[in-house]
Amino acid sequence: MDDDRRASMKSRLVLLITAVLILAGCMLTIVGFNKTGFVESLPFSRNGGLKLVIYLLACVVSLAAAHRLWRLPVAITFLAIAMFVALFAGDGWSLLVVGWFGFSALLLGRIVVQFVSASANDHALETILPMIVGAGLLGTVVGIMAIFPVNYPSTYAALLTLPVIICWRQAKQLLRDATAALSYRHPAEARVDWLQVALYAVFLIHVVIAFVPENGHDALAMHLFIPAHLALRHQWGFDVSTYVWAVMPLLGDWIFAIGYMLGGETSARLINVGFIGVLAVLIQKIVLWARGNARGAHWASLIFLSMPLTFTESSSLFIESIWATFIVAGTWLICRVCATEKFSGPQDLAIAGLMLGLAAACKAVTFVFLPILLLVLLICAPQWARREYAQKIMIGLLFFLLLATIPYAYAYWKTGNPLFPYYNQIFQSSLFTIENFSDPRWGKGLTWAWPYDLTFAKARYIEGDGIGVAGFQWLILFIPAVLFLVTTGYRRACLLLTIGLASVVLVTQFIAYLRYIFPAMVVLIAGMGVAFSHFENRGTKTRTLFFGLLSMVVALNLLFLNSAAQYREMPLETLISQTDRAKYVRNIVPIRAAVEMVNQLNVGVMPVAVFGEPMAAGLIANALYPNWYNRAFEKEVKGAASPEAMVSVLQKRRVEFIVVESGWENSELRERVEKATDLVARIGPISIRVPPDSGRFTEELLVSPQFSAGKGWRLEPGAKLAQNGSVIVTAKGPAHQTVSVQAGMYYRNSVVASCVDQPTMGRIQINWVDAKHKYLSTSSINFQCATNPTEYVMKVFAPARAAYAVVYTSSHLDVPVAFFENSLKR
């Protein structure tokens, strides 16, 4: 009886301390809002916030109504709403591509898992782990294909079809299971699970934003740039002299490339969101494994999906969603081995090695997490250090070494530095400056006030000036949850918290940047879900209070969902109208509109210099950036002290187009470039420019441009040479000459002409033909001829496949015009 009394008193004391800590967290939150200003800190505009609320309520009502009226499971209704959004946006194919990718990944992953397992086991029956494995392996294949010019939609379609052909029996069974799931209906008396409805409704926010045009810096500079480059040029050059990050671990980008190649930008963005969904599922499975219940698992997933940092990752093409999936899955498998629970086996270590190898192929920061997981394994050695584990351990090590070393070995072969361009002071590659390159924006280490700073310090741990980026759960719920779990003996949850906290501490010793601790946050939220489960099991009053507390945290997270993203106006109208979509791009990311225009003009795929933010995703040519991406080009343009020197640099680099951003921070260099180039077009703050004519058009291609005795020219009937050295032509009687040209090159066609008897129109015309002299297109302009000889100019780019130019000397009408010169210069 005394033991029961002591246990009861301990339980009450723990609950009391937990309540006090929660209250303290709430008070600190109020203090933080008082300092920063609650209303002033809201990251949505009034219009944007209203659109978010309306959309969220519409999703909630639809999910609940479908359950009540048609007894549909919430998950099925979620899929229906997602497809409706896709069709509404006119992009249903993008969603189907993501489903195709997931289906193929699941089948491929099952092959690998069954190979590792000695017999049929729980892994073979699971969906989530084989799908993660398959996705990583498909991305690995794309990374190898990227070396060669074989990256076409047909190639990627074959890649995704191959697992379906190999595993056609399993594919048929999966489709039958899916059909059965779609036909399932809840019993008539089943009540609406509002927590599950909220979970799927919040996830639909992540889904809908994937249909909005990409506007993120990292995405447009790298993570969308690479897939677009593969689609446009059919291989990735791994050229570190142009893009210093070209040989970094790029598994996440290879996975995005699958979606982009088959379904465009939206498919790539939906794959990113899909991995966020996979993380939410992993959180639920981990909570249940750690002795939590379904309600606690759902709360943990809802906290994760409402966290502004999660929205930051899902709303733009960052790779942390993919990287974190591999890290979290590998961590869970190792925890399963250490806990020696009944579903675990030697194969867990083998699959864990594969997962962590894929993680390392995504991001080098993985190697900071590995010592913690290795230490956990060593401490738990008595549980797994048995003979039957030896083979699976070796398979796991082989998987890890094979998958993890591919990008680093290739980088070493290309540059001499496996971590290029980082730690180059150690490896001393001649392709980069001898320094240990690092990002100076973020500090290192933690302080005692870290939970508060994490919530309210602006721009300290991530880009942007919003608050609450990491979510408000860390200040209100995390410390009470840790205390509760430690004192109540939830060993598995404590193991999760230990790994998560150790990862945060170790990573922040190198760089205190939120995106790099994203996987650790997922693990910690899963551990917190176990504490949520305990309070869900207590009395009605406690459960109600706790429900209100968690609801408040989720609401705060949603209010500040956009703190580090860039959707203040929630531009959902871009789904409806192509006009609104184009307007959004021109207003928010005008460089994307500039890239489209340059692609139309730059038929020769000549290099494009970008003097502004390096956000040229979709550019068909190589982009030259005067920053750390391309130190050699940066040095050249900074050393060009005069307009003439700048022109010389651009000519040396064979640059035909220059993109200049008026707000670029290097104003001195921007002004120097503007003085050295001619304006072609302007899109908001972005100007498209070309090098000046002087020093460019020096090579004459035509024979006898002054018509000396008509040499080189073919005179059609009606054309004749005059005594003053001119040629008299009409529209029906022109003169013409054919010369060789190079597709994509810039040409200057100039004429000197005058009227003969009466005012009329003259014409400058080039007909472009291919190597077989087959007509391609015409470039021409008309001019009103003057009484005295006057020069008229047309500048053109030779179109794709052009091999010859037929240069005409002609009037526009059947009225004679005298031409004294016709020149075509390159």
Side-chain angles (χ1 to χ4, degrees):
M1 191 67 182
D2 290 340
D3 290 341
D4 292 341
R5 186 180 293 110
R6 280 196 294 269
S8 177
M9 290 179 63
K10 178 183 176 182
S11 176
R12 291 180 181 179
L13 180 61
V14 169
L15 288 176
L16 177 62
I17 296 174
T18 302
V20 170
L21 289 173
I22 290 174
L23 183 60
C26 292
M27 295 301 295
L28 284 174
T29 303
I30 293 172
V31 170
F33 280 132
N34 186 53
K35 289 184 176 180
T36 58
F38 179 80
V39 176
E40 295 82 357
S41 299
L42 291 174
F44 289 105
S45 69
R46 179 177 296 181
N47 186 44
L50 181 61
K51 284 188 284 186
L52 175 63
V53 170
I54 292 173
Y55 173 75
L56 186 59
L57 287 177
C59 292
V60 169
V61 170
S62 300
L63 291 165
H67 182 280
R68 295 296 297 171
L69 298 177
W70 301 293
R71 295 184 290 150
L72 289 174
V74 178
I76 302 302
T77 310
F78 162 80
L79 292 175
I81 295 174
M83 182 55 73
F84 174 78
V85 169
L87 294 174
F88 194 65
D91 210 356
W93 173 246
S94 295
L95 195 60
L96 293 177
V97 166
V98 177
W100 184 11
F101 169 71
F103 187 65
S104 182
L106 174 58
L107 292 170
L108 178 60
R110 283 191 168 188
I111 295 173
V112 176
V113 169
Q114 289 171 357
F115 166 77
V116 171
S117 304
S119 60
N121 55 72
D122 293 277
H123 274 307
L125 301 176
E126 288 176 354
T127 297
I128 200 68
L129 290 176
M131 186 181 291
I132 297 170
V133 169
L137 294 179
L138 287 172
T140 301
V141 173
V142 170
I144 296 171
M145 290 168 53
I147 302 172
F148 309 101
V150 297
N151 296 269
Y152 293 87
S154 58
T155 313
Y156 283 55
L159 176 65
L160 294 190
T161 304
L162 189 60
V164 179
I165 295 173
I166 295 174
C167 305
W168 64 273
R169 287 191 178 89
Q170 289 190 39
K172 287 171 62 178
Q173 183 58 49
L174 284 171
L175 290 174
R176 282 195 291 267
D177 293 343
T179 303
L182 289 172
S183 61
Y184 173 77
R185 296 294 181 272
H186 283 300
E189 67 276 7
R191 304 174 70 178
V192 176
D193 185 343
W194 290 103
L195 179 57
Q196 195 177 36
V197 166
L199 180 63
Y200 279 103
V202 171
F203 188 41
L204 281 167
I205 299 175
H206 297 266
V207 172
V208 76
I209 211 70
F211 291 89
V212 175
E214 178 64 70
N215 65 11
H217 180 281
D218 284 20
L220 295 177
M222 182 177 179
H223 304 308
L224 187 64
F225 185 95
I226 292 172
H229 197 97
L230 279 176
L232 293 167
R233 306 188 73 175
H234 313 304
Q235 70 181 117
W236 178 244
F238 297 94
D239 179 11
V240 296
S241 65
T242 304
Y243 314 107
V244 74
W245 37 261
V247 294
M248 287 183 181
L250 298 173
L251 178 58
D253 298 296
W254 306 141
I255 292 174
F256 290 151
I258 297 173
Y260 190 94
M261 189 70 70
L262 295 173
E265 177 183 322
T266 302
S267 281
R269 285 166 63 80
L270 283 170
I271 284 178
N272 185 32
V273 172
F275 274 94
I276 292 294
V278 169
L279 283 170
V281 173
L282 279 175
I283 287 173
Q284 294 186 36
K285 287 185 172 293
I286 294 172
V287 171
L288 294 175
W289 165 83
R291 308 300 193 208
N293 59 28
R295 297 282 294 177
H298 285 153
W299 273 118
S301 288
L302 182 56
I303 291 287
F304 167 72
L305 289 175
S306 69
M307 187 168 68
L309 180 61
T310 304
F311 183 70
T312 300
E313 298 290 354
S314 73
S315 63
S316 185
L317 278 188
F318 293 112
I319 63 165
E320 280 77 23
S321 61
I322 298 175
W323 172 57
T325 298
F326 296 135
I327 289 278
V328 173
T331 300
W332 179 36
L333 290 169
I334 287 175
C335 289
R336 283 165 55 144
V337 170
C338 292
T340 62
E341 47 101 352
K342 63 180 180 181
F343 299 118
S344 180
Q347 64 275 359
D348 275 348
L349 284 176
I351 302 299
L354 188 150
M355 294 288 190
L356 295 175
L358 292 171
C362 279
K363 216 171 184 70
V365 186
T366 303
F367 292 105
V368 181
F369 288 80
L370 294 183
I372 298 167
L373 297 176
L374 179 60
L375 181 61
V376 169
L377 274 176
L378 292 176
I379 293 173
C380 300
Q383 281 90 328
W384 59 264
R386 299 190 293 272
R387 181 176 298 179
E388 62 266 27
Y389 278 72
Q391 182 185 14
K392 304 304 180 185
I393 292 172
M394 294 305 297
I395 293 175
L397 284 174
L398 182 63
F399 274 143
F400 176 80
L401 292 174
L402 178 63
L403 295 170
T405 56
I406 288 175
Y408 303 99
Y410 191 76
Y412 182 76
W413 178 68
K414 291 280 288 188
T415 70
N417 179 352
L419 299 171
F420 189 89
Y422 299 103
Y423 298 103
N424 204 44
Q425 196 165 5
I426 298 173
F427 297 102
Q428 300 195 353
S429 169
S430 60
L431 299 175
F432 195 68
T433 52
I434 307 302
E435 61 174 295
N436 288 337
F437 178 79
S438 62
D439 194 328
R441 292 175 295 174
W442 319 114
K444 298 179 180 180
L446 304 177
T447 66
W448 66 271
W450 201 68
Y452 179 86
D453 291 340
L454 192 66
T455 308
F456 288 105
K458 297 181 179 181
R460 181 174 298 184
Y461 302 111
I462 198 169
E463 298 89 346
D465 58 357
I467 65 171
V469 177
F472 292 89
Q473 68 277 358
W474 306 113
L475 192 56
I476 298 174
L477 298 174
F478 179 64
I479 295 176
V482 171
L483 173 71
F484 176 81
L485 292 171
V486 169
T487 55
T488 51
Y490 282 93
R491 296 182 61 185
R492 293 182 181 181
C494 289
L495 178 60
L496 294 171
L497 293 176
T498 300
I499 293 173
L501 284 171
S503 300
V504 169
V505 171
L506 193 55
V507 171
T508 53
Q509 296 308 306
F510 292 88
I511 181 170
Y513 186 43
L514 283 183
R515 282 168 47 199
Y516 292 171
I517 61 171
F518 186 58
M521 286 184 165
V522 177
V523 173
L524 291 173
I525 288 174
M528 292 166 65
V530 179
F532 302 161
S533 302
H534 178 88
F535 286 99
E536 281 286 344
N537 288 332
R538 296 189 68 84
T540 304
K541 290 184 178 181
T542 302
R543 188 166 59 246
T544 302
L545 287 172
F546 198 66
F547 174 85
L549 178 66
L550 290 176
S551 299
M552 180 190 72
V553 171
V554 170
L556 284 174
N557 283 351
L558 291 176
L559 282 173
F560 291 86
L561 191 67
N562 195 44
S563 288
Q566 301 183 54
Y567 297 98
R568 180 174 173 79
E569 296 295 331
M570 270 307 271
L572 300 184
E573 63 278 2
T574 60
L575 278 66
I576 306 170
S577 166
Q578 288 298 320
T579 301
D580 286 334
R581 191 177 184 90
K583 181 180 178 182
Y584 175 81
V585 169
R586 291 177 69 92
N587 290 339
I588 305 301
V589 275
I591 192 170
R592 299 202 66 180
V595 165
E596 290 182 12
M597 181 177 290
V598 168
N599 282 347
Q600 294 172 4
L601 298 172
N602 190 15
V603 293
V605 197
M606 306 301 289
V608 177
V610 181
F611 294 87
E613 292 296 323
M615 299 164 62
L619 188 68
I620 194 171
N622 271 326
L624 301 179
Y625 299 112
N627 59 19
W628 72 278
Y629 287 12
N630 191 332
R631 285 282 173 83
F633 184 61
E634 180 184 34
K635 182 179 179 180
E636 289 172 6
V637 297
K638 286 185 175 179
S642 65
E644 294 75 18
M646 184 66 70
V647 171
S648 177
V649 169
L650 296 174
Q651 288 179 341
K652 173 187 172 184
R653 292 281 185 163
R654 302 182 67 210
V655 170
E656 292 290 355
F657 290 95
I658 302 98
V659 176
V660 181
E661 183 180 354
S662 62
W664 190 38
E665 58 185 12
N666 196 330
S667 57
E668 181 182 348
L669 184 56
R670 185 190 70 239
E671 291 173 2
R672 202 181 311 160
V673 172
E674 289 175 343
K675 289 179 180 178
T677 57
D678 296 332
L679 179 67
V680 172
R682 188 179 297 279
I683 302 174
I686 306 295
S687 62
I688 300 172
R689 313 181 74 87
V690 294
D693 292 352
S694 58
R696 300 189 69 209
F697 301 108
T698 57
E699 182 182 358
E700 178 61 63
L701 301 181
L702 295 176
V703 177
S704 184
Q706 284 82 29
F707 306 106
S708 302
K711 183 180 180 181
W713 293 94
R714 178 177 176 178
L715 304 181
E716 296 293 343
K720 61 181 181 179
L721 292 171
Q723 292 182 353
N724 62 0
S726 68
V727 60
I728 309 297
V729 293
T730 63
K732 293 181 179 179
H736 56 85
Q737 184 177 154
T738 301
V739 294
S740 297
V741 294
Q742 182 179 347
M745 291 296 289
Y746 200 26
Y747 294 90
R748 184 181 189 271
N749 189 189
S750 62
V751 300
V752 176
S754 67
C755 297
V756 177
D757 300 318
Q758 56 182 302
T760 188
M761 300 288 289
R763 186 176 181 86
I764 304 176
Q765 178 178 330
I766 299 176
N767 285 359
W768 307 101
V769 296
D770 63 14
K772 296 181 179 180
H773 292 273
K774 182 180 179 181
Y775 172 79
L776 296 174
S777 62
T778 295
S779 299
S780 66
I781 62 170
N782 300 326
F783 59 87
Q784 181 70 48
C785 66
T787 304
N788 298 318
T790 306
E791 183 181 41
Y792 306 95
V793 178
M794 175 179 70
K795 298 175 188 176
V796 290
F797 286 88
R801 298 188 296 114
Y804 299 98
V806 183
V807 181
Y808 280 84
T809 305
S810 170
S811 65
H812 181 58
L813 304 172
D814 198 22
V815 177
V817 175
F819 281 80
F820 296 86
E821 180 180 334
N822 192 343
S823 169
L824 181 67
K825 291 184 178 181
R826 177 171 55 193

